[in-house]
Amino acid sequence: MQDTITEQRPSRIMSIDIMRGLTLFLMLFVNDLYEPGVPSWLVHTKADVDGMGLADWVFPGFLFMVGMSVPYAFASRRKKGNSNRQILLHIFSRTVSLLIIGVMLLNGGRINPELSGMNHFMWSIAVLVSIFLVWNRYPDRQGRRKFYLGLKIAGIAGLVFLAAIFRAGEPGREEWLRTEWWGILGLIGWGYFASAIPFLLAGERLGAIVLFWLFFLLLNIFSQLEMLGFLDVIKPVFGVIIDGNVPFIVLTGLIAGILLRRFGREPLKLISVFSVTGILFVFAGVVLRHWFIISKIYGTPSWGMICNGISILVFAMLFLVVDYLNKDRWAKAFLPAGQNSLTTYLAPDVLYYLIWWIGVPVLLYKQDHSPVLAVTGSLVWAFTMVGFAALLARLNIRLKL
């Protein structure tokens, strides 16, 4: 029976898109929650508190999927005939794009309307529109290529203009854009870079990738122990790499992706390996807790290990249900988000800023006296935004880096 199921399994691993979509859905859900009105286990745990809630797993869960997708993305480019040089250029292009988008969005809340001539909402919406113009995947229509090129140029000009007029601070003490922690998309960019380069160098040689993984785990440990002060001079740019936390989470996903490609046609063996590995990761995180509290804000290795273990176990369960048992009807609601991840993440921000700017009372469910209303409203919002991204994709509006 196993052979029959293996032969019938599609070549595309649907659980990859499902889990990516699930993490994005949960990201939309927890980001929308009105924290004073919902149970604490749903939201982010405070920095100095030893513990974690659902919101503290969601982002590392997505980072894990970034790493897992790398071997498949590389295989697709190899199939198209891309050389190592072309793939390297793509890695740099994608990384820089994510860093630019992350920094632009990160700084929106700092803008001084009087110095910049735009309020926070107007500037942020203009940034998002420009991002969609630049990185939209336009249809390949022979007669409209110049028009689409014009839209891209307009988007680039828009970003340059918005960056040029940006001012924060006060008159006489004006400040420009800051990289700070690079924003969510910037963190994803650095994590992608830290996994894609090792994979380009080592390929699917699991031992070599594990060595890279150990290197970043040790960086994370040494950073938490404040032993890397000699690298402070380059931290403003490479702080995410030096901290090691984001890279070692993404590299865990990369290792899982390699294992998936290696044992994907032996599903029961793969599920067993993932289950044991996930449990070991959670156990390792509990052991590390003796030296480092579990803290997403501080990016501790104990938190990273536990999140990696949860991600591996969740993926093993999805792979079992969706790809092995073919019970996928329930999960297809998350497919649009998984297949259009960047669009799904950014498009709701346009609506948020419009709602806040105009003052339309749409978000009435954000109540501290009714946890049920607050949670239900955020669930409806998240499902609606996944549907919104699917609608945009049908209209040929979908971001692709």
Side-chain angles (χ1 to χ4, degrees):
M1 181 170 179
Q2 179 181 327
D3 292 339
T4 302
I5 293 176
T6 302
E7 289 174 3
Q8 291 177 349
R9 282 176 55 245
S11 57
R12 183 178 182 87
I13 308 297
M14 187 178 290
S15 48
I16 293 178
D17 287 333
I18 296 297
M19 183 157 167
R20 190 189 299 115
L22 176 63
T23 55
L24 270 166
F25 169 81
L26 290 174
M27 203 179 298
L28 293 172
F29 168 62
V30 299
N31 286 346
D32 187 64
L33 285 172
Y34 184 63
E35 293 197 12
V38 302
S40 59
W41 63 268
L42 284 175
V43 299
H44 293 292
T45 304
K46 302 301 181 184
D48 294 313
V49 176
D50 182 18
M52 59 181 287
L54 173 65
D56 296 312
W57 169 75
V58 173
F59 180 56
F62 185 81
L63 289 176
F64 176 87
M65 295 311 299
V66 169
M68 179 171 270
S69 301
V70 167
Y72 291 90
F74 272 54
S76 176
R77 290 193 165 272
R78 297 285 189 202
K79 192 174 181 180
K80 294 175 183 176
N82 283 189
S83 64
N84 282 346
R85 181 176 177 275
Q86 289 173 309
I87 293 176
L88 180 62
L89 288 174
H90 173 72
I91 293 171
F92 279 114
S93 172
R94 194 176 191 194
T95 301
V96 170
S97 296
L98 285 166
L99 295 180
I100 290 172
I101 296 172
V103 168
M104 292 293 284
L105 295 177
L106 172 68
N107 280 273
R110 297 180 55 244
I111 194 169
N112 184 319
E114 295 180 359
L115 297 176
S116 303
M118 281 189 181
N119 65 32
H120 163 44
F121 305 122
M122 186 188 305
W123 190 86
S124 297
I125 290 172
V127 166
L128 286 164
V129 171
S130 298
I131 288 169
F132 273 87
L133 288 175
V134 175
W135 284 284
N136 187 50
R137 184 167 66 184
Y138 295 100
D140 187 14
R141 295 177 183 171
Q142 190 69 32
R144 308 200 72 181
R145 289 181 178 175
K146 290 184 178 180
F147 173 68
Y148 295 143
L149 177 60
L151 292 180
K152 283 182 175 287
I153 293 172
I156 293 171
L159 288 175
V160 171
F161 170 74
L162 292 166
I165 67 168
F166 181 91
R167 293 294 183 275
E170 302 296 334
R173 297 172 57 187
E174 299 178 7
E175 298 176 355
W176 196 53
L177 298 169
R178 292 179 182 172
T179 58
E180 293 187 351
W181 57 280
W182 296 96
I184 291 292
L185 292 176
L187 294 179
I188 293 172
W190 282 120
Y192 167 75
F193 181 80
S195 63
I197 293 298
F199 190 75
L200 182 63
L201 296 172
E204 298 197 17
R205 288 180 290 170
L206 191 58
I209 299 299
V210 169
L211 288 177
F212 280 107
W213 177 86
L214 282 171
F215 171 75
F216 283 111
L217 173 59
L218 290 173
L219 271 184
N220 190 205
I221 291 172
F222 293 152
S223 176
Q224 291 292 316
L225 294 173
E226 299 183 351
M227 297 172 62
L228 302 178
F230 64 95
L231 296 175
D232 285 351
V233 66
I234 60 173
K235 267 194 172 183
V237 176
F238 298 106
V240 179
I241 299 293
I242 293 169
D243 181 66
N245 185 262
V246 167
F248 109 78
I249 292 174
V250 181
L251 278 161
T252 304
L254 175 58
I255 292 170
I258 294 172
L259 291 173
L260 181 60
R261 284 176 58 80
R262 186 172 297 183
F263 300 114
R265 296 193 176 276
E266 302 175 79
L268 293 181
K269 182 176 182 179
L270 178 72
I271 292 166
S272 298
V273 170
F274 276 5
S275 298
V276 172
T277 305
I279 293 170
L280 288 175
F281 266 78
V282 173
F283 178 74
V286 173
V287 172
L288 285 168
R289 189 184 183 191
H290 290 287
W291 299 278
F292 310 97
I293 66 170
I294 300 170
S295 174
K296 175 186 184 292
I297 305 301
Y298 291 144
T300 59
S302 54
W303 167 77
M305 278 289 190
I306 292 173
C307 288
N308 283 336
I310 294 172
S311 298
I312 294 169
L313 292 172
V314 170
F315 183 81
M317 181 184 67
L318 287 174
F319 182 78
L320 170 65
V321 174
V322 173
D323 288 294
Y324 183 72
L325 298 178
N326 293 317
K327 305 293 185 182
D328 58 7
R329 291 183 61 182
W330 66 273
K332 288 185 177 177
F334 302 111
L335 270 178
Q339 295 170 345
N340 302 283
S341 55
L342 191 55
T343 307
T344 304
Y345 180 73
L346 288 181
D349 283 350
V350 178
L351 299 183
Y352 269 132
Y353 291 130
L354 283 172
I355 290 169
W356 292 332
W357 187 12
I358 299 172
V360 180
V362 175
L363 309 178
L364 295 176
Y365 56 88
K366 294 180 179 289
Q367 304 287 341
D368 57 5
H369 67 271
S370 177
V372 174
L373 180 61
V375 172
T376 303
S378 293
L379 283 172
V380 172
W381 172 268
F383 274 116
T384 303
M385 292 304 98
V386 169
F388 180 48
L391 174 63
L392 291 177
R394 290 189 177 187
L395 298 173
N396 291 317
I397 301 174
R398 46 187 175 179
L399 296 171
K400 182 73 173 179
L401 301 184

